[in-house]
Amino acid sequence: MHIPDGFLSPQTYLPAAALAVGAWAWAGRHLRSRLDETLIPRLALLTALAYGLGLVMLPLPGGTSGHALGVALLTLLFGLRLAFLAYSGVLLLQALLFGAGGLTALPVNALAMGLAGSATAILTFKLLRPLNESIAVLATAWVSVMVSGVLVALALGIQPLIAHQPDGTPLFFPFGLAITLPAVLLPHALIGIGEAALTLLVWRYAKSRKWIA
Amino acid sequence: MNTLMKKLLLLVCVWTPLAQAHAVDHRIEVSTAAIITLNYANERPFAHKQYTLTPAGQNKPMQVGETDAQGRIAFVPGELRHWRLKASSADGHGVNREIIVPAPLQSETALPATAASTSDSPSPPMQAIVPTRLSPPCDQPVWLRASIGLALMFGLFGLYQIFLRHRPR
């Protein structure tokens, strides 16, 4: 789901960068009060898990491949701000070391997967937790992946509309929304199921260790 | 032959070659091509995906097409070394970057000289095809890059842990 360099126009990544810097500043406020000594080892471990999940490419029907995110997991255990910061770090490392996602696209990737994915996870979990906690965790992970996917597909799919040559030839990414939305969402609907199962597994383990209330 | 027949013959002689001008002819030429291989990080080929190859700094693509089943693009760069390659799948995978074709491929005239083993030229043998693999920013093996990432991550968290332990309360 990572958008690489060269696929997004400056009209997209410059405003996104401004927005992301603001979001990172907001997420980093009062970090010391929220990140105590007992939390850091767990956060490091789960961030490493998200990093690892992003590197395991799952072959998907249609010749493409995808990977789980781990954003919902980070959010359920550490809250929105820490999850967003941690996942932004994961995206940065993946871009620098693996070329998975680009540096110019980092703000869009961070906002779509880190911030929006995390915010969606919080909302979904709060909404569904009163009904059934396990189902709420499963739905949280799946919806989080799908919302991130929608935003990534939107960012890619609008490129032919906003950045093209006078003859209409796209300058950056050639496929419109009618193609990107199903191309991103259908594989990630499958990936989301796997991610939901993994999230529930780790969630239950975390609860058994009293990492979460 | 009457005048009408002569005119008709003239018309046929002029018209027939023009009609042939619509035919698509082909020619097979053994030459020097560059082959770019695109694959996903897990080594699966980036197969049957759209690409454009444009000389660097220009707008009009020289070559547009689809990668083959092995994720390859074959093209004849001629004298140009710097190209912009755009290849993408609908789900957002792909590359959009400048590539540099290796120097030996620049000169097509050099190929026959290399093929002739009797040549006295001291230049090293030239490969007819040089695969140019689009590698990630870091060329180290995957396991090493993954380990570097983990080390950086745990290192940063570890430093913050030390900072918290030693901060004045």
Side-chain angles (χ1 to χ4, degrees):
Chain A
M1 202 191 290
H2 303 65
I3 302 175
D5 276 329
F7 280 18
L8 297 178
S9 57
Q11 300 97 301
T12 310
Y13 66 71
L14 290 178
L19 201 61
V21 166
W24 284 321
W26 166 76
R29 282 180 67 192
H30 310 302
L31 189 64
R32 275 205 271 179
S33 62
R34 285 181 286 115
L35 194 55
D36 60 34
E37 287 179 43
T38 56
L39 210 58
I40 287 177
R42 295 176 210 162
L43 182 60
L45 185 66
L46 272 298
T47 306
L49 178 65
Y51 170 73
L53 286 176
L55 299 180
V56 178
M57 304 303 282
L58 307 165
L60 293 167
T64 186
S65 58
H67 55 81
L69 301 181
V71 173
L73 190 60
L74 287 169
T75 308
L76 290 174
L77 268 63
F78 305 106
L80 192 155
R81 292 186 188 196
L82 284 179
F84 172 49
L85 282 180
Y87 202 72
S88 297
V90 166
L91 289 171
L92 178 65
L93 282 177
Q94 288 172 345
L96 290 174
L97 293 169
F98 292 90
L103 288 178
T104 57
L106 179 67
V108 173
N109 285 330
L111 290 172
M113 289 182 265
L115 189 61
S118 188
T120 305
I122 292 273
L123 289 173
T124 310
F125 190 65
K126 279 189 176 171
L127 196 70
L128 297 179
R129 191 178 196 180
L131 301 175
N132 181 299
E133 200 168 74
S134 293
I135 290 173
V137 172
L138 289 170
T140 292
W142 191 83
V143 173
S144 167
V145 169
M146 294 305 281
V147 167
S148 298
V150 167
L151 292 174
V152 165
L154 286 174
L156 288 168
I158 61 169
Q159 297 309 309
L161 296 174
I162 63 173
H164 52 77
Q165 291 179 3
D167 65 356
T169 308
L171 283 169
F172 295 92
F173 190 72
F175 302 105
L177 288 169
I179 296 174
T180 58
L181 279 168
V184 174
L185 292 181
L186 291 177
H188 283 91
L190 288 174
I191 289 173
I193 293 171
E195 172 143 353
L198 180 72
T199 305
L200 182 62
L201 204 69
V202 178
W203 162 264
R204 284 186 172 166
Y205 176 78
K207 274 205 89 170
S208 72
R209 301 295 300 265
K210 302 196 187 313
W211 288 1
I212 36 182
Chain B
M1 196 180 286
N2 62 30
T3 313
L4 180 64
M5 287 298 283
K6 283 179 184 170
K7 283 181 180 172
L8 198 57
L9 181 63
L10 183 66
L11 183 66
V12 168
C13 288
V14 171
W15 184 76
T16 305
L18 288 177
Q20 284 298 314
H22 290 282
V24 176
D25 204 355
H26 77 277
R27 183 178 63 169
I28 298 174
E29 185 181 340
V30 178
S31 182
T32 308
I35 295 184
I36 302 166
T37 304
L38 299 172
N39 51 262
Y40 291 101
N42 61 358
E43 301 295 324
R44 289 211 310 159
F46 193 63
H48 303 300
K49 301 292 187 285
Q50 284 186 17
Y51 74 85
T52 60
L53 268 166
T54 310
Q58 295 182 25
N59 288 328
K60 193 174 181 185
M62 182 75 84
Q63 188 167 316
V64 176
E66 194 174 87
T67 57
D68 72 4
Q70 301 300 316
R72 292 174 302 196
I73 299 165
F75 76 113
V76 181
E79 296 299 320
L80 295 173
R81 289 192 67 198
H82 294 261
W83 294 77
R84 175 154 288 278
L85 170 66
K86 290 184 192 177
S88 51
S89 60
D91 61 355
H93 290 108
V95 290
N96 180 355
R97 67 163 69 163
E98 192 171 311
I99 58 168
I100 302 173
V101 178
L105 293 172
Q106 282 183 92
S107 174
E108 291 185 20
T109 55
L111 189 60
T114 308
S117 57
T118 54
S119 168
D120 291 327
S121 168
S123 59
M126 182 187 292
Q127 286 181 288
I129 296 170
V130 178
T132 301
R133 191 186 171 101
L134 292 173
S135 55
C138 172
D139 281 337
Q140 302 302 323
V142 172
W143 66 267
L144 184 58
R145 281 181 272 151
S147 304
I148 290 170
L150 285 176
L152 282 171
M153 195 181 296
F154 285 125
L156 280 173
F157 279 113
L159 282 174
Y160 196 73
Q161 181 84 321
I162 292 168
F163 165 72
L164 285 181
R165 279 189 183 163
H166 293 88
R167 71 177 170 176
R169 299 191 185 267

